[in-house]
Amino acid sequence: MHAPASQTRKTLATGRLAPLMEFFRRFGPLRWSAYVVRYWSGQRAVIAIPYFWLMLFFLVPFLLVFKISFAEYATAQPPYTALIQQVEQGIYTIKLNLQNYLGLFSDDLYYTAYLYSLKVAAVSTFFCLLVGYPMAYAIARSTPAQRNLFLMLIILPFWTSFLLRVYAWVGLLKTDGVINNVAAWFGLGPYTMMYTSFAVYIGIVYSYLPFMILPLYSNLEKHDLTLIEAAQDLGARPMKAFFSITLPLSMPGVIAGCLLVFIPAVGEYVIPSLLGSSDQLMIGRVLTDEFFSNRDWPVASAVAIVMLVLLLLPIIYFQRFQNKELEARK
């Protein structure tokens, strides 16, 4: 009589082939069900969704723009040359045009636009922090009923169009606008506010202030107030307790809010176009002009790639700061 198949496999597994079978069991290909259970269950399956979203709507467009940035301008449709060109039958070559990037650093237009954009974003971020920190602190220390009301008032402007909110500042800041009319009642003015850097700062601070307040509030609301009471019991004045306890503990919220304001403010286009001067170009305006007015897609793509690289630096810094904070808590 023949031995059952299961007994035969068991004999082989415990005989001379045992090391080989053990090797395939450990390092051989997994069955699909085991692969799904091991790699795509729980946390990995949840993380895969945002990663797929980023790959589809960020990585793919980024690679497309990155490819165009090495092409040459052409009066065709699309208005750029192909990177892979056929030289002879069956022979292809890759032609990279680095002049698109080199021209950004030799032309004063792009150099000045980058510096002005960084300056506007930095100054706007500073004023957002200066205005937003006291507001977030007051909301975090208020009663739950008042807290909900204040948060609703902070988010309420988002219910209207961003463009309409910027246009409202045109009516406020122009020469015959609301502010100058009120100043005229007191014998003051008129003041020139439209088409200046002041108007751009006002528009950016107003538009991006909620992005500063919400991360700060989320951080300040979690603070242990007994630490402040202990510091006051030990003789620390309120300002000393604030700078020694509250401010250091709120630094993650400060950095998160600053990044949420600074990064989109660098590439802002609508606010400088409506409120700013025509001779003070931010990089968003230059990028739009290159794409639509000059139709120089390779140069415009190079401008976008360089701007993205500049914005990656603060993002990497913030990521490292967060990792250090998590390690310190452990």
Side-chain angles (χ1 to χ4, degrees):
M1 296 179 64
H2 295 284
S6 60
Q7 184 176 354
T8 304
R9 287 195 297 268
K10 184 176 180 181
T11 303
L12 291 175
T14 57
R16 296 179 180 180
L17 298 179
L20 184 62
M21 298 296 292
E22 181 66 18
F23 175 82
F24 278 107
R25 188 182 68 83
R26 290 189 176 183
F27 304 104
L30 295 172
R31 286 182 294 180
W32 174 249
S33 60
Y35 179 83
V36 172
V37 171
R38 177 175 295 186
Y39 293 103
W40 292 102
S41 61
Q43 184 180 4
R44 290 179 182 269
V46 175
I47 295 176
I49 298 175
Y51 270 96
F52 174 76
W53 180 272
L54 288 175
M55 182 182 68
L56 183 62
F57 292 98
F58 172 76
L59 184 60
V60 174
F62 170 77
L63 293 177
L64 179 61
V65 173
F66 186 71
K67 178 183 76 71
I68 297 175
S69 67
F70 290 101
E72 294 182 0
Y73 173 76
T75 55
Q77 187 68 27
Y80 56 87
T81 58
L83 293 184
I84 302 177
Q85 300 179 2
Q86 183 176 0
V87 180
E88 296 178 2
Q89 184 68 26
I91 300 178
Y92 296 88
T93 182
I94 300 177
K95 188 175 183 180
L96 300 178
N97 181 25
L98 299 179
Q99 189 60 37
N100 297 329
Y101 288 96
L102 297 177
L104 300 182
F105 301 98
S106 60
D107 195 334
D108 293 339
L109 173 64
Y110 306 107
Y111 182 79
T112 305
Y114 277 119
L115 291 181
Y116 182 67
S117 299
L118 293 174
K119 173 190 171 184
V120 170
V123 174
S124 302
T125 302
F126 172 75
F127 281 107
C128 280
L129 179 61
L130 198 64
V131 177
Y133 198 104
M135 297 177 66
Y137 186 86
I139 296 173
R141 297 296 180 264
S142 60
T143 62
Q146 294 176 340
R147 191 178 304 168
N148 294 333
L149 176 62
F150 292 150
L151 289 175
M152 186 191 69
L153 294 176
I154 295 296
I155 303 174
L156 191 62
F158 284 94
W159 294 0
T160 59
S161 172
F162 174 77
L163 189 61
L164 291 178
R165 284 183 279 136
V166 177
Y167 265 117
W169 279 105
V170 175
L172 291 172
L173 298 176
K174 63 183 181 179
T175 306
D176 56 346
V178 176
I179 296 178
N180 277 317
N181 288 335
V182 173
W185 294 346
F186 299 95
L188 303 175
Y191 301 105
T192 302
M193 294 177 287
M194 276 295 297
Y195 309 119
T196 62
S197 297
F198 171 77
V200 175
Y201 292 137
I202 289 291
I204 293 179
V205 170
Y206 166 76
S207 300
Y208 291 100
L209 186 59
F211 296 107
M212 179 66 73
I213 294 176
L214 294 178
L216 284 172
Y217 161 75
S218 177
N219 179 275
L220 292 169
E221 191 267 338
K222 299 176 182 178
H223 286 188
D224 188 359
L225 298 181
T226 58
L227 298 175
I228 304 296
E229 296 176 358
Q232 293 176 350
D233 292 339
L234 294 174
R237 295 178 178 273
M239 292 299 295
K240 178 68 175 178
F242 173 79
F243 285 106
S244 301
I245 299 175
T246 304
L247 186 60
L249 291 177
S250 63
M251 285 307 297
V254 171
I255 295 177
C258 289
L259 288 178
L260 287 176
V261 174
F262 180 82
I263 291 174
V266 171
E268 181 59 48
Y269 168 72
V270 175
I271 295 175
S273 298
L274 296 179
L275 304 180
S277 175
S278 58
D279 59 346
Q280 293 178 327
L281 297 178
M282 293 184 66
I283 199 63
R285 175 68 179 275
V286 174
L287 183 63
T288 305
D289 291 342
E290 291 291 350
F291 261 116
F292 298 104
S293 299
N294 301 335
R295 290 186 56 80
D296 195 342
W297 288 21
V299 171
S301 300
V303 171
I305 294 297
V306 172
M307 183 174 64
L308 180 62
V309 171
L310 291 176
L311 295 180
L312 281 177
L313 298 178
I315 295 176
I316 294 174
Y317 170 76
F318 177 64
Q319 187 67 31
R320 290 184 177 180
F321 180 82
Q322 277 192 325
N323 293 335
K324 291 181 180 178
E325 288 289 326
L326 293 175
E327 292 176 0
R329 292 177 183 177
K330 295 179 180 179

